[in-house]
Amino acid sequence: GEPPMNEVAGDAAIYLPRLGEPSQLHAWSQAGAAAVLQFVHGPAAAREGRVQAGLERARLFSASAAIDAYVRIYGEVIEREAATVQAA
């Protein structure tokens, strides 16, 4: 997996490489379908392990914390812009 998705899903996700050329779309989508089918039809213990890992990863993230961070960042930008306007 590549950033930013691996930062969110960690080891819980099934990753595909980025699509290279548009002409590779069919092969890329077939590889994705094969990975999903392998997961769905694979051992139940492996499936359950990924599900539990995904739930654990999800607990690390909070919508309210993300909103608070955005509000803080926008506030900082507005303050800097106001200071720039006042200085001019």
Side-chain angles (χ1 to χ4, degrees), residues 38-60:
Q38 182 179 6
F39 173 74
V40 170
H41 296 295
R47 248 188 341 272
E48 184 60 27
R50 281 199 189 261
V51 168
Q52 290 306 313
L55 293 171
E56 288 174 23
R57 294 293 301 174
R59 285 192 216 47
L60 298 175

Side-chain angles (χ1 to χ4, degrees), residues 3-85:
M5 298 315 298
N6 64 345
E7 295 166 359
V8 174
D11 293 336
I14 298 170
Y15 296 100
L16 294 178
R18 289 182 187 261
L19 175 62
E21 296 295 318
S23 62
Q24 299 171 332
L25 178 60
H26 181 74
W28 181 81
S29 64
Q30 292 296 312
V36 169
L37 287 173
Q38 182 179 6
F39 173 74
V40 170
H41 296 295
R47 248 188 341 272
E48 184 60 27
R50 281 199 189 261
V51 168
Q52 290 306 313
L55 293 171
E56 288 174 23
R57 294 293 301 174
R59 285 192 216 47
L60 298 175
F61 300 94
S62 158
S64 62
I67 292 168
D68 291 344
Y70 280 119
V71 168
R72 186 184 76 254
I73 291 167
Y74 283 124
E76 291 172 5
V77 169
I78 290 168
E79 286 177 16
R80 275 190 239 145
E81 184 64 25
T84 301
V85 169

